[in-house]
Amino acid sequence: MPRLEPRARPSAAMSLASPLMALALTTLIGVAIFIALGKDPLQGLRMFFWEPLRNGYALGELGLKATPLVLIALGLAVAFRANVWNIGAEGQFVAGALAAGWVAMQADAGSTRLILVPILLAGTLGGIAWASIAAFLRDRFHANEILVSLMLVYIAELLLQYLVYGPWKDPAGYNFPQTITFLPATQLPKLFTGTRLHIGVWIALAAVIGCWWLLFRSMAGFALQAGGIAPMAARYAGFSSRAALWGAMALSGGLAGLAGALETAGPLGQLTPYVPVGYGFAAIIVAFVGRLHPVGIVLSGILMSMFYIGGELAQSRLGLPKAITGVFQGLLLFCLLACDTLIHYRVRRAPAALDAPAGMPADMAADMAAKEAR
């Protein structure tokens, strides 16, 4: 019977190539899916890998979707490296959008572009506050941050629905569940005429540089990772595991909240029940495909954005279901996990215990088979 045996020294080159292999496998499986659905696979691949790059407007949309994915994934990468499993970035994204939206609704005719500073700051603080709930419950009561942060996603979504259906509903909005349309002063400046790409992309790139410096060039980043991975050793060295927990959750929550603020002050322009679109969950895939490295996250964020845009085009032009986007995202993750498993383990055929001498106890036969395997 086959079994997995750890490799003594996994290949570093194969570890770097694993995301590319996972993408190739995802593409092959995608071709099979298109054929099974009776669609032209070349047309399907064209929707995902060519149309998002076809012209300037398409590139602008690609950057627009990559911006929140990269920001959220950067925060998650820092948290995961600190052994803090923040799975609720979607809720922190919504909390940031709510906080930023509230500030944007305070604008009036005399407001200037300077109001963008408190809008983005409010979004960041909103994400930090929402992530701090999970950090407090783990720190004080040893609650599992995976479950807590995940459940907080649904609370944030319900809070959003309550506000847009109730106190924040636009009285002149024909009873639609939406806030007022935010004034032009609250909107992020566009980078290029004829596209929706805004200055948020520069903020995301600045965050990439900042996270790279934090993780690989600062003592704070080293303490953050050490405090999460080896709490006892970090405590002996003078680092705090509690500081690693709070720092990781605050940074990941703040970047997710900032992403929510950029969406609010960017393409949305108001709050509706459809603010959460899955960026917080997709960013988990982005972080792992990017190898928890800021530069890799940029590349994987662009790839995930292509899946979002390709999925939307496949719906409108090929008549495929909305779930096709999630299918490609999930395939990419599972293919990556499969490749990583084979990089760190080799498949061995377990020796049969049937060759043991008659009358030998089963546990002794198993030990003998294990020794023979070694």
Side-chain angles (χ1 to χ4, degrees):
M1 182 177 181
R3 62 186 176 85
L4 293 177
E5 178 183 283
R7 295 182 185 270
R9 185 176 297 175
S11 170
M14 293 301 293
S15 295
L16 293 175
S18 180
L20 297 177
M21 294 187 293
L23 176 59
L25 288 173
T26 301
T27 303
L28 291 175
I29 298 173
V31 167
I33 292 174
F34 290 135
I35 294 174
L37 294 174
K39 305 297 182 181
D40 182 357
L42 293 180
Q43 285 295 323
L45 294 179
R46 183 171 180 267
M47 296 298 109
F48 280 88
F49 296 106
W50 169 245
E51 290 295 330
L53 308 172
R54 189 167 59 90
N55 52 39
Y57 180 80
L59 290 173
E61 291 297 298
L62 190 67
L64 187 70
K65 290 189 179 297
T67 295
L69 287 171
V70 168
L71 278 172
I72 300 171
L74 286 170
L76 293 180
V78 173
F80 295 160
R81 281 178 174 270
N83 202 28
V84 177
W85 297 96
N86 178 15
I87 307 298
E90 183 80 355
Q92 295 142 30
F93 174 86
V94 173
L98 288 174
W102 180 82
V103 175
M105 287 189 289
Q106 312 310 309
D108 54 29
S111 300
T112 66
R113 290 281 189 183
L114 291 177
I115 198 174
L116 286 172
V117 176
I119 287 175
L120 298 182
L121 181 60
T124 304
L125 294 177
I128 291 174
W130 207 252
S132 296
I133 299 174
F136 171 77
L137 291 176
R138 173 178 160 175
D139 185 26
R140 181 67 178 82
F141 301 104
H142 305 288
N144 188 307
E145 75 273 16
I146 297 176
L147 297 177
V148 173
S149 60
L150 183 60
M151 293 301 102
L152 284 170
V153 173
Y154 302 104
I155 296 175
E157 291 177 350
L158 290 173
L159 178 60
L160 169 66
Q161 292 182 26
Y162 164 73
L163 292 172
V164 297
Y165 277 95
W168 289 2
K169 182 192 286 188
D170 182 4
Y174 302 99
N175 208 34
F176 285 102
Q178 61 189 26
T179 64
I180 60 172
T181 301
F182 303 145
L183 295 179
T186 66
Q187 299 297 297
L188 292 167
K190 303 295 188 297
L191 287 181
F192 304 104
T193 304
T195 71
R196 298 194 300 164
L197 187 64
H198 51 66
I199 61 171
V201 68
W202 297 120
I203 297 176
L205 291 176
V208 169
I209 297 172
C211 287
W212 175 84
W213 180 85
L214 172 68
L215 289 173
F216 305 114
R217 289 294 183 271
S218 72
M219 180 58 71
F222 176 76
L224 192 73
Q225 298 177 75
I229 296 173
M232 297 296 292
R235 192 177 298 115
Y236 180 79
F239 302 145
S240 171
S241 58
R242 291 186 64 195
L245 166 66
W246 281 95
M249 289 298 289
L251 181 60
S252 58
L255 288 176
L258 176 60
L262 290 175
E263 286 293 290
T264 300
L268 297 181
Q270 62 180 168
L271 295 177
T272 72
Y274 309 107
V275 168
V277 291
Y279 285 152
F281 296 117
I284 299 174
I285 304 176
V286 171
F288 280 108
V289 173
R291 288 307 195 217
L292 304 183
H293 191 285
V295 177
I297 284 172
V298 173
L299 300 176
S300 60
I302 293 172
L303 175 62
M304 192 63 65
S305 302
M306 293 173 69
F307 284 176
Y308 268 106
I309 296 174
E312 294 169 359
L313 294 175
Q315 293 174 55
S316 60
R317 299 185 185 181
L318 301 180
L320 291 175
K322 181 180 179 181
I324 193 66
T325 300
V327 168
F328 267 80
Q329 292 175 354
L331 281 174
L332 181 63
L333 177 61
F334 280 111
C335 290
L336 179 69
L337 294 175
C339 292
D340 285 352
T341 299
L342 294 177
I343 288 171
H344 291 87
Y345 297 87
R346 59 167 58 91
V347 179
R348 290 290 194 188
R349 181 181 178 275
L354 298 177
D355 299 332
M360 178 179 288
D363 56 346
M364 292 180 64
D367 290 341
M368 184 180 71
K371 289 179 181 179
E372 291 178 358
R374 291 195 291 268

